[in-house]
Every structure is written in structure tokens, then in C-alpha cells.
Amino acid sequence: MSGRAAQGSRGRLGLPVLGVIGLALLGVPRVVAHDLGLVGAAGNAFLVWAPLTVWVAVVLWRRVPNPLVPLIAVGVAYGVLLAVAHQATWAWAFDTPPALGGGLEGVLPPAAEGFLMRGFSFVSSLFVGTLVGAGCGVVAWLVSRAIPGYPRTPG
């Protein structure tokens, strides 16, 4: 990417694209640790809240005029990483893989059912990541409004 293209990305998002990806990567250890059962409740709580706190702190420190925009982008990137990590740890995360129940139990061939379950997991990860980013963006936006002299988006 040329320097001008990178600057344009920073202009729209308020952070460089690599910064967005780097912030999103902070959430991956929690996904892996949780899926593989490597941490208890306290460790998991730390791995949940520490990256989100860093996300908010970075956009406030960088004085991004509209923190909602870059944090939604971070959330989308996090959702993609969350989806990929869940797929990669799928075999280790479950004693018995998730399956359809009720009236749909046993209707589909096992391969089709597995594909469907993984597909829903992938889509839900994207959705959750985006919502987490939006939630952090709202928090950062509210905090930015309480900081005297914080830059505002024109309009």
C-alpha cells in the first residue's frame, strides 16, 4: 500500500489499518485460551476486558474525532479473527461436537450438519465481534465527550 493510500485509510478510520488489525489481534489469546480450557474464570475475565480497555484507551489517546468508526472496524476484524480461531480450535473445544436437536436431529448427513454448525458459528462470531467493537466505540465516544478540548468530527 502506498503512503498516500495508508494515509487515506488513517483519515477515514482515525487509525492506520495495521493499527486496527493489531488491536483486533489482542482478543485472539482469549478465544484460544477459552476454547482450549487453558484459563479459569479470573484469567478469562482478564483476557476479555484487557483488550477492550486497550481498544478504548488507544482511540482516546490518539484523540480520534469519532471513536465509534475505528472501533467498529476493530470489532469487524476481531470478529473475523474470532471466527477463524473458533474454527481452528473446534476439534479441541468440544467433547462432543455441537449438533442439531429437536425435530432436526439426525435429519441431515453428519457432514452437512457439521458444515451448518460451523457456518452458524462463523457468522455469529462476525456478528459478536462487530457488536463488541460498536459497544467499545459507544463507550469511547461517550468518554470523549466528557474530555475538555477533545476533537469533534465536523458537522
Side-chain angles (χ1 to χ4, degrees):
M1 181 181 295
S2 73
R4 176 165 274 171
Q7 289 244 283
S9 295
R10 186 175 306 132
R12 284 189 300 277
L13 293 176
L15 293 175
V17 172
L18 287 177
V20 168
I21 294 166
L23 289 173
L25 282 167
L26 294 175
V28 173
R30 191 226 45 101
V31 179
V32 174
H34 177 266
D35 284 0
L36 300 181
L38 301 176
V39 293
N44 190 58
F46 174 78
L47 291 173
V48 166
W49 294 107
L52 305 183
T53 303
V54 170
W55 294 4
V56 170
V58 165
V59 296
L60 293 173
W61 176 66
R62 296 279 309 246
R63 301 186 72 76
V64 174
N66 184 1
L68 186 60
V69 174
L71 289 179
I72 288 175
V74 171
V76 170
Y78 171 64
V80 170
L81 294 169
L82 177 65
V84 169
H86 280 318
Q87 298 302 313
T89 61
W90 191 275
W92 296 277
F94 303 106
D95 292 330
T96 304
L100 296 172
L104 296 175
E105 187 174 350
V107 172
L108 296 175
E113 190 170 324
F115 182 79
L116 185 65
M117 297 304 288
R118 284 177 175 260
F120 278 119
S121 170
F122 198 92
V123 171
S124 71
S125 294
L126 294 175
F127 184 71
V128 166
T130 303
L131 282 179
V132 168
C136 288
V138 167
V139 168
W141 182 83
L142 289 170
V143 170
S144 75
R145 296 306 179 245
I147 299 172
Y150 195 93
R152 307 282 193 259
T153 54

